[in-house]
Structure formats: structure tokens, C-alpha cells
Amino acid sequence: MTNLSKTLRENLSKHYTINRIKTNLIQKSNDGTIKTRFKLHDEHLIESVLIPVERDNRFTVCVSSQVGCSLTCSFCATGKMKRMRNLDPGEIYDQVTMVNEQSLEHFDKPLSNIVYMGMGEPLLAYKNVMKSIELITGKDGLNMSPRRITVSTAGIAKMIMKLADDEVKFNLALSLHAADDTKRDSIMPINETNNLDNLMDALAYFYQKTKNKISYEYIAFQRFNDSIQDAKNLSKLCKRFPVKVNIIEYNPIDGSEFSKSDSGRIEDFMDYLKRQDITCTLRRSRGKDIDAACGQLANKEN
Ligand code: SF4
């Protein structure tokens, strides 16, 4: 930038660096989903996914918050990778702006929603995630409403309470996946120190303080968590505050002990919930041919 003085340029390069993330690989699914692998300044790789639903004018990006993850959920490919570090706010923000450009290029529409459901546990990168949301919602950023942002957590009660105390304006999703402690302990080790009672107390507090939307993400695993008894257990967790349940089709990962629930079992499960007046939607798997679906992000090439 020769329009700046030489001294200023020297000072800038001495004290600052610009570590913009770089596109490393783009994969397109038959269903329109686009997965992008980004390379960070220290050579680490992360992934973001653009999920278009053109008929609803919905263009959602799923962003990563950490390189790898420390939480080792048994059904998740990211959980098999070691956690290397948290992403800094700029690296999260870059994913959003770069995928926004992709959305404009491919669909002629900007992003409508952002979900923190990619690689990593956002509440363990708390400060950076909060700062990135400040950038995304800021006037100098994308000026996006926080109501269009959802942060998803595997369930860290203390941090959910912190979100409440910080009076955040975005939505919160709990990756529930099992509605009793024994089953949840067996697939999500974080549940051993943050059991369902603790999580429900934290979520009730979050709702009381913020009135923001809460949802449960529930991957249906064949004959593990998809019986009517499981639906009964789940319905008990929907009583204390308004909550929407998203049932997600499972995408098997290499070496997984689980398989996808039959559609009949999912239907019965959802019918039970609906009869209890619980709002629930089936999230069909997107981008599974390019390993871009829920729980599949692991920097793998197809
Ligand atoms: S599901 Fe989320 S919290 Fe669990 S291992 Fe995968 S990325 Fe980490």
C-alpha cells in the first residue's frame, strides 16, 4: 500500500500480521451442499459447510470453532482427531465471509443463517466464539441478526450459565443424542461430569435469563436411542422450558458401532413426541457423499 508512508508500512509489518485463512479444497455434493477445507496460517486444516435450501431461501453455513476436538463423542469423526487449538475470532469470521461469497456466487443469495456445529466445541473456545459473533453481527461486519445464529454445545453446564449471565442474543442448541444418563455417558464422555440434571438446570436458567430459542439435536441411532421408551425419556426433558427437537439422520463414520435408524422407527418416535405436543422436525442428512454431514468433518478427501 504505497499510499501509506514508508515508516507506517514498516511499523505495521513489524507489529501486525494478517493471517487470513486460505481455501484448500472445495467439494460439492449431489444435493448442492458445498464443503470447504481451509488452511490456517500454521498449516492446520478446518472445514466449513454451506447447506442451501433454495425453496425456503435458507443458506446456512456450519462453521468450526476449534482445530480438532477434545470431547471424543463416539459417533463423531472430529472427536477422533486430537484437539490442536481454538480458532481465533478472525479465523471463524473468515469462514463466514468466505462461505458467504460462495453462497452469492453459486446461489445469488447471501447466507441467511450461521450454525456453530462444525469441528470443535464452541463453548470451550468461548471468548473467541463470542468475539466472532460480535464481528458477524457488527455494523462493520455482516450486520447479521443474532437471531439467525445458533451455537451448539455438547453440554457444558457452567458455560451455558455463563451464556445466560452474558445475556447473549443468539440461539442455543444442545447436542443431546440420548435422553438418559447411562446411554449418554456411553456415547458422550462429557456427560459424566455434566449430567442431564445439571444440563437441564443450566438450560432452564439460560431460558429464564434470555428467552432465546433452545433446541435439542438428536441423532437417531438404530436400536440405541430410537425406541418409544427413549421418546418418553426425551419428552420428559422438554417440560421445563420451550424447546424444539431436531431429529437427525445418522451418517455412519468409519469404524462406528452405530447405524442409521429405519425410517419406520423414526416415524414412530416422532409421532410419540408430536402426541405430547413437542415440536420436532426431521433433519435429512445433507452432503453425506462428500463427508460433509453432521459428525463427519475430519479433513478427509473423497
Ligand atoms: S460431536 Fe462436537 S463435541 Fe462431540 S466430538 Fe464431535 S465436534 Fe466434538
PDB file of all heavy atoms in Angstrom, residues 66 68-80 117-122 152-154 175 177 187-188 190 295, ligand 1:
ATOM      1  N   GLN A  66     -12.841 -24.977  16.587  1.00  0.00           N
ATOM      2  CA  GLN A  66     -11.545 -25.472  17.068  1.00  0.00           C
ATOM      3  C   GLN A  66     -10.902 -26.326  15.974  1.00  0.00           C
ATOM      4  O   GLN A  66     -11.603 -26.842  15.093  1.00  0.00           O
ATOM      5  CB  GLN A  66     -11.738 -26.368  18.302  1.00  0.00           C
ATOM      6  CG  GLN A  66     -12.322 -25.653  19.512  1.00  0.00           C
ATOM      7  CD  GLN A  66     -12.437 -26.580  20.727  1.00  0.00           C
ATOM      8  OE1 GLN A  66     -12.981 -27.672  20.627  1.00  0.00           O
ATOM      9  NE2 GLN A  66     -11.914 -26.135  21.859  1.00  0.00           N
ATOM     10  N   GLY A  68      -9.765 -29.743  15.447  1.00  0.00           N
ATOM     11  CA  GLY A  68      -9.995 -30.998  16.170  1.00  0.00           C
ATOM     12  C   GLY A  68     -10.967 -30.762  17.317  1.00  0.00           C
ATOM     13  O   GLY A  68     -11.647 -29.732  17.368  1.00  0.00           O
ATOM     14  N   CYS A  69     -11.043 -31.714  18.249  1.00  0.00           N
ATOM     15  CA  CYS A  69     -11.956 -31.559  19.389  1.00  0.00           C
ATOM     16  C   CYS A  69     -11.477 -32.454  20.520  1.00  0.00           C
ATOM     17  O   CYS A  69     -10.952 -33.548  20.272  1.00  0.00           O
ATOM     18  CB  CYS A  69     -13.381 -31.945  18.982  1.00  0.00           C
ATOM     19  SG  CYS A  69     -14.587 -31.613  20.291  1.00  0.00           S
ATOM     20  N   SER A  70     -11.670 -31.984  21.760  1.00  0.00           N
ATOM     21  CA  SER A  70     -11.185 -32.773  22.901  1.00  0.00           C
ATOM     22  C   SER A  70     -12.283 -33.678  23.478  1.00  0.00           C
ATOM     23  O   SER A  70     -12.023 -34.433  24.398  1.00  0.00           O
ATOM     24  CB  SER A  70     -10.691 -31.821  23.992  1.00  0.00           C
ATOM     25  OG  SER A  70     -11.712 -30.906  24.323  1.00  0.00           O
ATOM     26  N   LEU A  71     -13.494 -33.622  22.921  1.00  0.00           N
ATOM     27  CA  LEU A  71     -14.613 -34.265  23.634  1.00  0.00           C
ATOM     28  C   LEU A  71     -14.920 -35.718  23.251  1.00  0.00           C
ATOM     29  O   LEU A  71     -15.758 -36.348  23.874  1.00  0.00           O
ATOM     30  CB  LEU A  71     -15.871 -33.406  23.544  1.00  0.00           C
ATOM     31  CG  LEU A  71     -15.768 -32.051  24.262  1.00  0.00           C
ATOM     32  CD1 LEU A  71     -17.133 -31.403  24.370  1.00  0.00           C
ATOM     33  CD2 LEU A  71     -15.159 -32.165  25.641  1.00  0.00           C
ATOM     34  N   THR A  72     -14.302 -36.240  22.243  1.00  0.00           N
ATOM     35  CA  THR A  72     -14.362 -37.683  21.908  1.00  0.00           C
ATOM     36  C   THR A  72     -15.763 -38.334  21.906  1.00  0.00           C
ATOM     37  O   THR A  72     -15.919 -39.447  22.404  1.00  0.00           O
ATOM     38  CB  THR A  72     -13.441 -38.525  22.831  1.00  0.00           C
ATOM     39  OG1 THR A  72     -13.927 -38.460  24.185  1.00  0.00           O
ATOM     40  CG2 THR A  72     -11.998 -38.056  22.809  1.00  0.00           C
ATOM     41  N   CYS A  73     -16.761 -37.637  21.393  1.00  0.00           N
ATOM     42  CA  CYS A  73     -18.073 -38.281  21.245  1.00  0.00           C
ATOM     43  C   CYS A  73     -17.890 -39.453  20.269  1.00  0.00           C
ATOM     44  O   CYS A  73     -17.260 -39.298  19.222  1.00  0.00           O
ATOM     45  CB  CYS A  73     -19.105 -37.302  20.693  1.00  0.00           C
ATOM     46  SG  CYS A  73     -19.271 -35.820  21.699  1.00  0.00           S
ATOM     47  N   SER A  74     -18.469 -40.609  20.636  1.00  0.00           N
ATOM     48  CA  SER A  74     -18.078 -41.828  19.923  1.00  0.00           C
ATOM     49  C   SER A  74     -18.583 -41.899  18.480  1.00  0.00           C
ATOM     50  O   SER A  74     -18.051 -42.635  17.670  1.00  0.00           O
ATOM     51  CB  SER A  74     -18.569 -43.054  20.685  1.00  0.00           C
ATOM     52  OG  SER A  74     -19.972 -43.022  20.705  1.00  0.00           O
ATOM     53  N   PHE A  75     -19.626 -41.124  18.144  1.00  0.00           N
ATOM     54  CA  PHE A  75     -20.215 -41.199  16.803  1.00  0.00           C
ATOM     55  C   PHE A  75     -19.630 -40.171  15.852  1.00  0.00           C
ATOM     56  O   PHE A  75     -20.058 -40.047  14.713  1.00  0.00           O
ATOM     57  CB  PHE A  75     -21.732 -40.958  16.916  1.00  0.00           C
ATOM     58  CG  PHE A  75     -22.039 -39.715  17.700  1.00  0.00           C
ATOM     59  CD1 PHE A  75     -22.034 -38.478  17.077  1.00  0.00           C
ATOM     60  CD2 PHE A  75     -22.255 -39.771  19.080  1.00  0.00           C
ATOM     61  CE1 PHE A  75     -22.277 -37.322  17.806  1.00  0.00           C
ATOM     62  CE2 PHE A  75     -22.493 -38.621  19.808  1.00  0.00           C
ATOM     63  CZ  PHE A  75     -22.509 -37.394  19.168  1.00  0.00           C
ATOM     64  N   CYS A  76     -18.644 -39.372  16.319  1.00  0.00           N
ATOM     65  CA  CYS A  76     -18.219 -38.192  15.565  1.00  0.00           C
ATOM     66  C   CYS A  76     -16.789 -38.327  15.042  1.00  0.00           C
ATOM     67  O   CYS A  76     -15.877 -38.672  15.797  1.00  0.00           O
ATOM     68  CB  CYS A  76     -18.335 -36.974  16.475  1.00  0.00           C
ATOM     69  SG  CYS A  76     -17.649 -35.481  15.767  1.00  0.00           S
ATOM     70  N   ALA A  77     -16.615 -38.040  13.759  1.00  0.00           N
ATOM     71  CA  ALA A  77     -15.286 -38.161  13.150  1.00  0.00           C
ATOM     72  C   ALA A  77     -14.317 -37.120  13.699  1.00  0.00           C
ATOM     73  O   ALA A  77     -13.129 -37.403  13.896  1.00  0.00           O
ATOM     74  CB  ALA A  77     -15.411 -38.017  11.631  1.00  0.00           C
ATOM     75  N   THR A  78     -14.814 -35.910  14.000  1.00  0.00           N
ATOM     76  CA  THR A  78     -13.926 -34.872  14.552  1.00  0.00           C
ATOM     77  C   THR A  78     -13.382 -35.319  15.913  1.00  0.00           C
ATOM     78  O   THR A  78     -12.233 -35.025  16.264  1.00  0.00           O
ATOM     79  CB  THR A  78     -14.675 -33.526  14.720  1.00  0.00           C
ATOM     80  OG1 THR A  78     -15.391 -33.244  13.530  1.00  0.00           O
ATOM     81  CG2 THR A  78     -13.726 -32.395  15.025  1.00  0.00           C
ATOM     82  N   GLY A  79     -14.235 -36.018  16.683  1.00  0.00           N
ATOM     83  CA  GLY A  79     -13.835 -36.475  18.008  1.00  0.00           C
ATOM     84  C   GLY A  79     -12.682 -37.471  17.968  1.00  0.00           C
ATOM     85  O   GLY A  79     -12.035 -37.744  18.988  1.00  0.00           O
ATOM     86  N   LYS A  80     -12.401 -38.023  16.793  1.00  0.00           N
ATOM     87  CA  LYS A  80     -11.278 -38.974  16.664  1.00  0.00           C
ATOM     88  C   LYS A  80      -9.967 -38.213  16.427  1.00  0.00           C
ATOM     89  O   LYS A  80      -8.889 -38.791  16.432  1.00  0.00           O
ATOM     90  CB  LYS A  80     -11.502 -39.960  15.501  1.00  0.00           C
ATOM     91  CG  LYS A  80     -12.877 -40.604  15.470  1.00  0.00           C
ATOM     92  CD  LYS A  80     -12.816 -42.079  15.840  1.00  0.00           C
ATOM     93  CE  LYS A  80     -14.182 -42.728  15.879  1.00  0.00           C
ATOM     94  NZ  LYS A  80     -14.905 -42.639  17.149  1.00  0.00           N
ATOM     95  N   MET A 117     -21.662 -25.584  14.475  1.00  0.00           N
ATOM     96  CA  MET A 117     -21.845 -27.027  14.659  1.00  0.00           C
ATOM     97  C   MET A 117     -20.786 -27.806  13.903  1.00  0.00           C
ATOM     98  O   MET A 117     -20.936 -28.997  13.648  1.00  0.00           O
ATOM     99  CB  MET A 117     -23.228 -27.472  14.132  1.00  0.00           C
ATOM    100  CG  MET A 117     -24.394 -26.941  14.924  1.00  0.00           C
ATOM    101  SD  MET A 117     -25.950 -27.638  14.369  1.00  0.00           S
ATOM    102  CE  MET A 117     -27.121 -26.661  15.315  1.00  0.00           C
ATOM    103  N   GLY A 118     -19.720 -27.115  13.474  1.00  0.00           N
ATOM    104  CA  GLY A 118     -18.661 -27.787  12.737  1.00  0.00           C
ATOM    105  C   GLY A 118     -17.678 -28.447  13.691  1.00  0.00           C
ATOM    106  O   GLY A 118     -18.079 -29.002  14.720  1.00  0.00           O
ATOM    107  N   MET A 119     -16.394 -28.365  13.360  1.00  0.00           N
ATOM    108  CA  MET A 119     -15.399 -29.039  14.198  1.00  0.00           C
ATOM    109  C   MET A 119     -15.212 -28.278  15.512  1.00  0.00           C
ATOM    110  O   MET A 119     -15.082 -27.063  15.518  1.00  0.00           O
ATOM    111  CB  MET A 119     -14.069 -29.107  13.445  1.00  0.00           C
ATOM    112  CG  MET A 119     -14.194 -29.815  12.118  1.00  0.00           C
ATOM    113  SD  MET A 119     -12.748 -29.539  11.083  1.00  0.00           S
ATOM    114  CE  MET A 119     -11.949 -31.092  11.237  1.00  0.00           C
ATOM    115  N   GLY A 120     -15.182 -29.037  16.621  1.00  0.00           N
ATOM    116  CA  GLY A 120     -14.879 -28.435  17.917  1.00  0.00           C
ATOM    117  C   GLY A 120     -16.095 -28.136  18.766  1.00  0.00           C
ATOM    118  O   GLY A 120     -17.231 -28.193  18.303  1.00  0.00           O
ATOM    119  N   GLU A 121     -15.829 -27.853  20.035  1.00  0.00           N
ATOM    120  CA  GLU A 121     -16.882 -27.499  20.996  1.00  0.00           C
ATOM    121  C   GLU A 121     -16.809 -25.979  21.207  1.00  0.00           C
ATOM    122  O   GLU A 121     -15.887 -25.473  21.853  1.00  0.00           O
ATOM    123  CB  GLU A 121     -16.640 -28.271  22.309  1.00  0.00           C
ATOM    124  CG  GLU A 121     -17.377 -27.746  23.524  1.00  0.00           C
ATOM    125  CD  GLU A 121     -18.890 -27.615  23.350  1.00  0.00           C
ATOM    126  OE1 GLU A 121     -19.544 -28.601  22.986  1.00  0.00           O
ATOM    127  OE2 GLU A 121     -19.423 -26.499  23.565  1.00  0.00           O
ATOM    128  N   PRO A 122     -17.796 -25.240  20.682  1.00  0.00           N
ATOM    129  CA  PRO A 122     -17.726 -23.769  20.748  1.00  0.00           C
ATOM    130  C   PRO A 122     -17.583 -23.204  22.162  1.00  0.00           C
ATOM    131  O   PRO A 122     -16.902 -22.207  22.357  1.00  0.00           O
ATOM    132  CB  PRO A 122     -19.062 -23.321  20.134  1.00  0.00           C
ATOM    133  CG  PRO A 122     -19.581 -24.480  19.394  1.00  0.00           C
ATOM    134  CD  PRO A 122     -18.996 -25.716  19.990  1.00  0.00           C
ATOM    135  N   SER A 152     -24.036 -24.437  19.059  1.00  0.00           N
ATOM    136  CA  SER A 152     -24.407 -25.777  19.501  1.00  0.00           C
ATOM    137  C   SER A 152     -23.344 -26.308  20.469  1.00  0.00           C
ATOM    138  O   SER A 152     -22.154 -26.177  20.215  1.00  0.00           O
ATOM    139  CB  SER A 152     -24.482 -26.670  18.265  1.00  0.00           C
ATOM    140  OG  SER A 152     -24.664 -27.991  18.655  1.00  0.00           O
ATOM    141  N   THR A 153     -23.796 -26.892  21.558  1.00  0.00           N
ATOM    142  CA  THR A 153     -22.843 -27.421  22.529  1.00  0.00           C
ATOM    143  C   THR A 153     -23.134 -28.889  22.848  1.00  0.00           C
ATOM    144  O   THR A 153     -24.293 -29.316  22.824  1.00  0.00           O
ATOM    145  CB  THR A 153     -22.869 -26.600  23.841  1.00  0.00           C
ATOM    146  OG1 THR A 153     -22.000 -27.204  24.800  1.00  0.00           O
ATOM    147  CG2 THR A 153     -24.273 -26.499  24.435  1.00  0.00           C
ATOM    148  N   ALA A 154     -22.059 -29.609  23.166  1.00  0.00           N
ATOM    149  CA  ALA A 154     -22.228 -30.995  23.604  1.00  0.00           C
ATOM    150  C   ALA A 154     -22.742 -31.016  25.049  1.00  0.00           C
ATOM    151  O   ALA A 154     -23.135 -32.069  25.553  1.00  0.00           O
ATOM    152  CB  ALA A 154     -20.898 -31.736  23.501  1.00  0.00           C
ATOM    153  N   SER A 175     -26.553 -30.662  21.819  1.00  0.00           N
ATOM    154  CA  SER A 175     -26.415 -31.956  21.140  1.00  0.00           C
ATOM    155  C   SER A 175     -26.749 -33.018  22.171  1.00  0.00           C
ATOM    156  O   SER A 175     -25.897 -33.423  22.957  1.00  0.00           O
ATOM    157  CB  SER A 175     -24.973 -32.153  20.653  1.00  0.00           C
ATOM    158  OG  SER A 175     -24.669 -31.187  19.701  1.00  0.00           O
ATOM    159  N   HIS A 177     -28.732 -36.292  21.893  1.00  0.00           N
ATOM    160  CA  HIS A 177     -28.461 -37.626  21.336  1.00  0.00           C
ATOM    161  C   HIS A 177     -28.823 -38.823  22.214  1.00  0.00           C
ATOM    162  O   HIS A 177     -28.814 -39.958  21.740  1.00  0.00           O
ATOM    163  CB  HIS A 177     -27.012 -37.774  20.863  1.00  0.00           C
ATOM    164  CG  HIS A 177     -26.562 -36.653  19.985  1.00  0.00           C
ATOM    165  ND1 HIS A 177     -27.357 -36.121  19.010  1.00  0.00           N
ATOM    166  CD2 HIS A 177     -25.408 -35.924  19.956  1.00  0.00           C
ATOM    167  CE1 HIS A 177     -26.716 -35.128  18.411  1.00  0.00           C
ATOM    168  NE2 HIS A 177     -25.545 -34.978  18.959  1.00  0.00           N
ATOM    169  N   ILE A 187     -21.924 -42.600  25.010  1.00  0.00           N
ATOM    170  CA  ILE A 187     -21.544 -42.041  23.702  1.00  0.00           C
ATOM    171  C   ILE A 187     -20.897 -40.663  23.799  1.00  0.00           C
ATOM    172  O   ILE A 187     -20.221 -40.225  22.878  1.00  0.00           O
ATOM    173  CB  ILE A 187     -22.741 -41.975  22.710  1.00  0.00           C
ATOM    174  CG1 ILE A 187     -23.923 -41.200  23.309  1.00  0.00           C
ATOM    175  CG2 ILE A 187     -23.166 -43.368  22.266  1.00  0.00           C
ATOM    176  CD1 ILE A 187     -25.021 -40.874  22.301  1.00  0.00           C
ATOM    177  N   MET A 188     -21.118 -39.974  24.945  1.00  0.00           N
ATOM    178  CA  MET A 188     -20.580 -38.623  25.105  1.00  0.00           C
ATOM    179  C   MET A 188     -19.936 -38.508  26.494  1.00  0.00           C
ATOM    180  O   MET A 188     -20.615 -38.212  27.492  1.00  0.00           O
ATOM    181  CB  MET A 188     -21.693 -37.578  24.947  1.00  0.00           C
ATOM    182  CG  MET A 188     -22.386 -37.652  23.597  1.00  0.00           C
ATOM    183  SD  MET A 188     -23.696 -36.424  23.397  1.00  0.00           S
ATOM    184  CE  MET A 188     -22.769 -34.935  23.080  1.00  0.00           C
ATOM    185  N   ILE A 190     -18.462 -36.335  28.005  1.00  0.00           N
ATOM    186  CA  ILE A 190     -18.683 -35.056  28.713  1.00  0.00           C
ATOM    187  C   ILE A 190     -19.872 -35.161  29.663  1.00  0.00           C
ATOM    188  O   ILE A 190     -19.963 -34.439  30.661  1.00  0.00           O
ATOM    189  CB  ILE A 190     -18.887 -33.891  27.693  1.00  0.00           C
ATOM    190  CG1 ILE A 190     -18.979 -32.507  28.366  1.00  0.00           C
ATOM    191  CG2 ILE A 190     -20.135 -34.084  26.830  1.00  0.00           C
ATOM    192  CD1 ILE A 190     -17.714 -31.998  28.915  1.00  0.00           C
ATOM    193  N   GLY A 295     -21.367 -34.725  12.036  1.00  0.00           N
ATOM    194  CA  GLY A 295     -20.471 -35.709  12.650  1.00  0.00           C
ATOM    195  C   GLY A 295     -19.430 -36.291  11.708  1.00  0.00           C
ATOM    196  O   GLY A 295     -18.659 -37.167  12.085  1.00  0.00           O
TER     197      GLY A 295
HETATM  198  S1  SF4 B   1     -19.838 -34.059  18.352  1.00  0.00           S
HETATM  199 FE1  SF4 B   1     -18.990 -31.989  18.637  1.00  0.00          FE
HETATM  200  S2  SF4 B   1     -18.236 -32.036  20.775  1.00  0.00           S
HETATM  201 FE2  SF4 B   1     -18.530 -34.204  20.174  1.00  0.00          FE
HETATM  202  S3  SF4 B   1     -16.507 -34.839  19.385  1.00  0.00           S
HETATM  203 FE3  SF4 B   1     -17.715 -34.103  17.619  1.00  0.00          FE
HETATM  204  S4  SF4 B   1     -17.106 -31.959  17.386  1.00  0.00           S
HETATM  205 FE4  SF4 B   1     -16.507 -32.585  19.460  1.00  0.00          FE
END
